[in-house]
Amino acid sequence: MTTPRNHEEPATALHWRDSKRYLWLFGLVAPSAAMLATALVWAFNQLGWQVVAPVWWWLGPILVYVLLPTLDRFFGPDGTNPPEEVMARLEHDRYYRYCTYAYIPLQLFSLVFACYLWTADNLSWLGIDGGLGLASKIGLAFTIGAMGGVGINTAHELGHKKDELERWLSKITLAQTFYGHFYIEHNRGHHVRVATPEDPASARFGESFWSFLPRSVWGSLKSAWELEATRLRRLDKSPFSPHNDVLNAWSMSVVLWVALVAVFGPAILPFLVIQAVYGFSLLETVNYLEHYGLLRSRTASGRYERCTPEHSWNSDHIVTNIFLYHLQRHSDHHANPTRRYQILRHMDGAPELPSGYASLIGLAYLTPLWRKVMDHRVLAHYNGDITRVNIQPSKRAKILAEYGAI
């Protein structure tokens, strides 16, 4: 039986304090990255380091692929859970909600600021002659995309809650990346079908990220539409009605993008597309590693067994946990979807990734290395029984033969 890890003594519960309470504010680094990049470019130009300064427009990818993995390695796992006695108090402490709410105005401001930088022809105040070069504009698009990708995770946290305001804030956060259908598919699709072949967001054993990406993107979009259409038909309403949450979410993206183009001109469109694609691809990379190869067995009735902690890959590396609002404590999230991030628990016995999510995002792009690191962990999780694994259908016969199962 998988149980939560807890190193706190019961006697200390009354005096327990959340050591990560103010560390959650570091989650606001992502929506501030464009401003941080601008400050660093200005500083480097002031120091006469103009050749190096444009590198900072790529701060988002630097943060994702270099800084976070390095910090994860340095600081390592967290290793603590809040005592049961303080869970209710933590759950209702509104400070933690405000940490996620603050993401949204910073996100929107950064997006508008980036549109200005993409179109400005005089950035002398930054020490730049004329406007940004193409490489700098693309780097800024990737930095804004990284913000959008982390923003989808913020929307994930808000979208699971019962509070109507938080659900609408979730849709607003998704508008930047044009991924509003995630709000429907994740809650009502993925959480129902997780770790089964029917779930587009659960990666299969032997499936490369590059095969998974289009399958998950298209499958999630299709599933979200079908879920909403079915819901509305039960209410005797057309899927093409204002009550369709997929259309509502997409309309927010349309309004946002049209407004930005109206103010800054069509020249920003290529960069809006780049940031959106990169943003939702980051989400899909995380989807890829969260359930890779894991499979829920069928019961005697033919139904899938209940989702348990054994059906999600976890990591307790503290830096990425802070950055992604405990998303890496994924087993507890699937067990308790409405539970707020500050009280999600690490569970001993749940399958563990070798490092934090941030460290594995880049690895997922390199299929041979990914499989070398992860395939034996999947097999070990099932005691070497390849028949219990969620296998890529096109490779099923080959893989079963390779492992002597046929």
Side-chain angles (χ1 to χ4, degrees), residues 329-401:
R329 294 184 168 186
H330 209 59
S331 288
D332 195 15
H333 168 67
H334 272 277
N336 303 282
T338 61
R339 177 169 281 173
R340 294 188 181 275
Y341 68 92
Q342 65 269 25
I343 58 173
L344 288 174
R345 304 159 298 172
H346 181 82
M347 295 183 170
D348 288 322
E352 280 288 301
L353 293 167
S355 188
Y357 283 9
S359 303
L360 297 174
I361 287 174
L363 188 69
Y365 302 153
L366 307 172
T367 304
L369 288 178
W370 169 262
R371 295 198 62 188
K372 184 176 181 180
V373 169
M374 288 302 300
D375 282 9
H376 70 91
R377 286 181 164 83
V378 175
L379 283 171
H381 180 60
Y382 291 110
N383 298 316
D385 186 353
I386 189 67
T387 63
R388 297 173 61 194
V389 173
N390 188 4
I391 300 176
Q392 170 75 348
S394 63
K395 297 184 177 181
R396 185 171 185 83
K398 180 181 177 182
I399 289 174
L400 289 178

Side-chain angles (χ1 to χ4, degrees), residues 190-269:
H190 173 65
H191 271 260
V192 173
R193 298 179 299 228
V194 62
T196 71
E198 291 75 28
D199 180 31
S202 291
R204 300 155 179 170
F205 188 89
E207 181 178 31
S208 74
F209 168 71
W210 304 108
S211 296
F212 169 81
L213 179 61
R215 181 174 72 83
S216 184
V217 170
W218 172 249
S220 296
L221 190 156
K222 182 172 177 285
S223 174
W225 182 263
E226 290 172 350
L227 286 167
E228 268 300 89
T230 299
R231 181 183 72 87
L232 290 168
R233 288 191 184 104
R234 286 173 181 163
L235 299 173
D236 292 325
K237 294 179 180 177
S238 167
F240 297 95
S241 78
H243 302 284
N244 187 319
D245 278 334
V246 174
L247 293 180
N248 284 336
W250 285 347
S251 67
M252 291 186 181
S253 294
V254 171
V255 169
L256 175 63
W257 282 39
V258 167
L260 291 174
V261 170
V263 173
F264 296 101
I268 65 169
L269 273 173

Side-chain angles (χ1 to χ4, degrees), residues 292-305:
Y292 177 77
L294 301 179
L295 179 66
R296 286 155 59 192
S297 300
R298 289 191 183 271
T299 64
S301 67
R303 293 190 173 192
Y304 287 108
E305 65 179 322

Side-chain angles (χ1 to χ4, degrees), residues 147-165:
M147 174 185 75
V150 179
I152 296 176
N153 179 61
T154 305
H156 166 261
E157 169 65 23
L158 295 168
H160 271 294
K161 304 304 173 282
K162 297 177 180 178
D163 185 277
E164 191 65 25
L165 170 63

